[in-house]
Amino acid sequence: MHRMSLEDATALAEAVLKGQGFSHDQTRVLTQAVIAGQRDECHSHGLYRLLNCASTLAADKVVADAKPQVYDQAPGIIRVDAGGGFSQLAFEAGLPVLATKAREQGIAALAINHCVHFSALWVEIEAITDLGLVGLACNPSHAWVAPAGGSRPLLGTNPLAFGWPRPAGKTPFVFDFATSAIARGDIELHHRENKPLPKGWGIDRAGQPSQDPAAVLDGAMLTFGGHKGSALATMIELIAGPLIGDLTSVESLVHDNGAGASPYHGELILAMDPARFLGVNADHYMANAETLFSSIIDQGARLPSQRRYEARERTRKEGIAISEALYQELVKLM
């Protein structure tokens, strides 16, 4: 394993992205995203993702110097055209207006169009909870997942993320999960490491259950929870695809045309202001939420993202570790 500090990891990511030709602003936000993933030990969304950034650019499927355009769509809707760039800069451009609209009206939506996407949604959700707002985000991906009862890829991994702000000194309540049984990146990592998959993650090209990551990558992933995950994935296809005037996961894969690049689609983000919803009762009902969280913990259960927050504190002190093979791959891209 190759160990390094977060500062050295940041410098490595910046050097890779600049070396590949990404603009200053795109490099800045992409670095923040992959370092956040690595810092929280979400390895499938950490430094490993720099390989996808480079290959997506090499395939001419992302605009390295894209500058997002912000549009005031409606009283409760902000739209940002990412211009074919990665989603992070578009989110950064739209967040201030999203927050303002949410505080004015209680709820607002941010629609990001024409973006390339690879990152975890909890990074964006935490930016929303840091402002004292409740957040929800979702997006399609590539058609890698079979619907419940089906045998061919149709849906994306279609993540859904939610965040609830908490008092100072307490980490927000955040969850972020794919509606597939596992994230695509985790199957890719199993393939790189020649490790078999757990049962229930995917099927081969003939529609048969498989624990071979290569066969699943060539076949189809499965949804979590059978028909329940399949229904949620379909909902996300609709509200973060046709509803915002963007691509479904099938259309994203057609756009890719065999390049193997990161998905190209849209993203829907909602922000809600508890103060606007609750008025003078805000403190009372936010305290009720804390009672709920305490009741969960008192049973010995864990809140979502607790493992991430523990990893965050650990890596801030101890740094991070990636495989020597991955490190050497990244160095070659600088």
Side-chain angles (χ1 to χ4, degrees):
M1 300 297 287
H2 187 96
R3 298 202 65 86
M4 67 186 91
S5 67
L6 285 174
E7 291 76 15
D8 287 342
T10 299
L12 173 63
E14 290 175 343
V16 168
L17 293 164
K18 289 178 181 177
Q20 292 297 302
F22 285 96
S23 68
H24 172 78
D25 282 340
Q26 291 286 342
T27 293
R28 174 177 54 81
V29 294
L30 289 171
T31 296
Q32 290 171 355
V34 298
I35 293 300
Q38 198 69 49
R39 177 201 63 201
D40 286 13
E41 296 183 352
C42 297
H43 301 296
S44 63
H45 290 84
L47 291 171
Y48 162 71
R49 285 293 173 177
L50 293 172
L51 302 178
N52 298 94
C53 293
S55 62
T56 299
L57 182 59
D60 197 28
K61 294 296 183 179
V62 67
V63 179
D65 58 353
K67 297 180 179 179
Q69 300 296 313
V70 180
Y71 301 95
D72 191 340
Q73 179 80 6
I77 303 172
I78 180 75
R79 185 183 297 276
V80 181
D81 189 332
F86 281 108
S87 61
Q88 287 83 0
L89 198 59
F91 173 76
E92 182 181 84
L95 179 59
V97 186
L98 175 69
T100 296
K101 286 179 177 289
R103 291 192 176 110
E104 289 174 347
Q105 302 172 151
I107 185 170
L110 166 60
I112 299 177
N113 292 119
H114 311 131
C115 72
V116 183
H117 197 278
F118 71 86
S119 58
L121 292 177
W122 57 258
V123 178
E124 297 171 358
I125 290 295
E126 285 189 14
I128 293 172
T129 58
D130 284 348
L131 298 175
L133 303 173
V134 176
L136 186 140
C138 60
N139 61 261
S141 62
H142 279 335
W144 289 319
V145 182
S151 60
R152 295 188 303 276
L154 178 67
L155 307 172
T157 54
N158 296 12
L160 177 67
F162 172 84
W164 181 276
R166 300 183 66 197
K170 295 187 177 182
T171 54
F173 176 90
V174 174
F175 69 74
D176 176 8
F177 54 76
T179 50
S180 53
I182 193 67
R184 180 79 169 184
D186 285 294
I187 296 180
E188 292 170 351
L189 287 176
H190 276 69
H191 186 226
R192 285 172 60 88
E193 298 166 8
N194 198 29
K195 292 167 53 179
L197 302 176
K199 293 180 179 179
W201 280 17
I203 54 179
D204 63 20
R205 199 175 185 87
Q208 297 302 307
S210 177
Q211 292 180 261
D212 179 355
V216 171
L217 289 172
D218 186 52
M221 300 167 65
L222 297 175
T223 60
F224 83 88
H227 66 282
K228 295 180 181 180
S230 186
L232 283 174
T234 304
M235 176 195 76
I236 291 167
E237 292 283 342
L238 296 171
I239 65 174
L243 181 65
I244 65 170
D246 221 303
L247 304 185
T248 63
S249 295
V250 168
E251 292 169 324
S252 174
L253 201 57
V254 170
H255 170 82
D256 186 74
N257 195 30
S262 292
Y264 177 76
H265 49 66
E267 180 179 350
L268 178 65
I269 302 158
L270 304 181
M272 294 160 272
D273 184 7
R276 190 67 165 161
F277 268 85
L278 297 167
V280 297
N281 296 313
D283 289 344
H284 171 74
Y285 285 102
M286 295 303 283
N288 283 357
E290 291 303 309
T291 299
L292 174 61
F293 297 142
S294 296
S295 298
I296 293 171
I297 295 170
D298 289 346
Q299 292 189 24
R302 293 164 61 95
L303 295 179
S305 295
Q306 184 175 330
R307 182 204 61 80
R308 279 201 307 105
Y309 295 132
E310 291 170 354
R312 183 177 303 183
E313 291 306 311
R314 182 169 57 253
T315 56
R316 280 173 174 164
K317 299 173 184 177
E318 302 175 2
I320 59 100
I322 60 174
S323 71
E324 186 64 32
L326 175 57
Y327 176 73
Q328 293 302 329
E329 283 186 84
L330 295 176
V331 168
K332 291 178 182 178
L333 294 174
M334 293 168 59

